Amino acid sequence: MTFKKSILAAAIVGTMAGTAAHAGEVEVLHWWTSGGEAESIAVLKSMVEDSGHTWKDFAVAGGGGDQAMTVLRSRAVSGNPPASAQIKGPEIQEWASLGFAADLSGVAKASNWDAVLPKVVSDVMKYNGKYVSVPVNVHRVNWMWANPAAFAKAGAKVPTTMAEMWTAADKLKAAGITPIAHGGQPWQDATTFESIVLSVGGADFFKRAFVDLDQTALNSDTMKQSFDALRKVTGYIDAGSPGRDWNVATSMVIKGEAAMQFMGDWAKGEFTLAGQKPGKDFLCLPFPGTDGSFTFNIDSLVMFKQKDPANTAAQDKMAELVVSKKFQEVFNLKKGSIPARMDMDMTPFDSCALASMDTFKSTAKSGKGLVPSMAHGMSTTGSVSGAIGDVVTSFFNSDMSSADGVAKLAKAVKAAQ
Ligand code: GAL
C-alpha cells in the first residue's frame, strides 16, 4: 500500500520531531467533540494535568473518526505525529508495524494489565505480543435508543424484532412522529447496516461476512435480505437526514421528535448529559433481533514514540491512568460505555451499562454472539471497512437494487483486500 511506503520514511523523522515538544507534554488526537464525548475526554485531561503533565488537546470533529484519521495520516507523513492518538482495531497493528507505536510493556506489567483486561480487549491492544495501545472502554454498537413517550403517543409497541419494528414505524409515521432518527454520514449508514446484518444473519454470519470477508457470505441471499431491510429504513427517516451529525439525531429522540435511533452507546452520553434517565425518559434495547449478541467497539489510545524522555514519561503516566479503576469509572459513566477492565464495582452504573456488561461477559465466556464492529474499524482494515461503507452509503442514497448492492459489496471487498 502506497500510504505504508510514504509513511515508513517519515517514521524516522517523526521520532526526531518529538524533541520540539515541551517536557512532560502529551498531545492527544481524538474526535470526541459532541456534548457527552467532550465531557468524557475532559476527565482524562484533568487527570493528566493533576499528575503534573501538560495536556495539548487535538480534537478533530467528525463522529466515527474518519476525519481524525485523515489528519493523523497527514501529520505522520509530514514527520510530526501527535504523542497520542485514538486508533482502533487492526489499525493499531498497522501503525505499530510501521514503527510508530511506543512499547507500553513496562507500564502494562507494573499495572498488571494482563490480569485485569479480558483477552478480547488485550488481544486488540497488542502487537507481536506487546502492548502498544491502551483501552479506555468497551462500547456496544448494536443498540436501539427509544423514546417511550413517542411510542405511547403513537400507540406503538417498542420492537424487539425487525417485523415488530416495521409495524411500529408505520404507526409512528401515521402519528406524525419521525420513526427513525438518522444522520447522513457513511459511518452512520454502516452502523445501521451492520446491526441489520447481525439481526438477519446472526453472529456467525456476521463474522463470515465482516471478519473472514467470505465471498459466499457477502454474495448470499442473507446479505440481500439485509439490503432489503436497509432500504425499508430509508422510508422511515426524515428529509433532514443528509449531513446530520449522530448527536443531532440523538437529540431528536431526546426531544421526542423521533422515536428511535440505531447507534452505539456513546448515544447514552447525550441522554445522560440531557439529564434523562434510562427506563423512564429513554430506553436502551438491543437492536431488534440481536438480543444476546454484542457488537464490540473498543476505544483506545496509541502512544507515538517520543525522543524527549519527559514526554515518554507523560505518555506512560497517561497510559497508567487510563486503565486505573478511577478513570474507567468516571470516564465510562459519562461516555455511555462500560469499563474495559472486568474487576470493577458496577454499582454506580445504570441499567443500560449493567445489561451491556452482562451480555459482554456472557458472550465472551460462551464464545457465541460476540462480534467486532465493522462500522467502527474493529473487524477488518480501514481500507476494507471503508469500501464496505462506500457501497452501503451509495445504496442508502440511491435507488440501487438489493441484488446490485450485494454484487457491489462482494466486489468492493475483494478489491480492497
Ligand atoms: C466511534 C467511537 C466512539 C464514539 C463514536 C462517535 O467510532 O468509538 O467513542 O465517539 O465514534 O463519535
Side-chain angles (χ1 to χ4, degrees), residues 31-32 37 62-65 86 88 137 139 187 246 266 297 299 335 376:
W31 62 88
W32 288 327
E37 290 174 328
Q86 195 185 340
K88 295 190 299 186
N137 63 7
H139 271 304
W187 72 271
W246 67 271
W266 45 92
N297 172 23
D299 285 314
K335 190 71 170 68
H376 295 275

Side-chain angles (χ1 to χ4, degrees), residues 196-206 208 222 226:
I196 290 175
V197 169
L198 185 62
S199 180
V200 174
D204 289 341
F205 176 81
F206 184 104
R208 284 210 306 282
T222 306
S226 303

Side-chain angles (χ1 to χ4, degrees), residues 141-229:
V141 183
N142 60 314
W143 279 118
M144 174 181 78
W145 305 93
N147 182 314
F151 275 89
K153 200 168 151 197
K157 177 182 174 293
V158 180
T160 57
T161 65
M162 289 229 289
E164 286 177 5
M165 184 167 87
W166 310 131
T167 308
D170 284 335
K171 287 192 178 163
L172 288 156
K173 208 171 175 176
I177 298 165
T178 301
I180 299 168
H182 191 70
Q185 290 150 357
W187 72 271
Q188 297 189 55
D189 301 336
T191 298
T192 295
F193 185 63
E194 75 170 16
S195 285
I196 290 175
V197 169
L198 185 62
S199 180
V200 174
D204 289 341
F205 176 81
F206 184 104
K207 275 189 205 154
R208 284 210 306 282
F210 296 145
V211 180
D212 306 339
L213 310 176
D214 173 48
Q215 282 290 316
T216 314
L218 292 166
N219 260 310
S220 63
D221 189 57
T222 306
M223 197 55 87
K224 185 170 165 289
Q225 286 172 37
S226 303
F227 274 109
D228 287 344

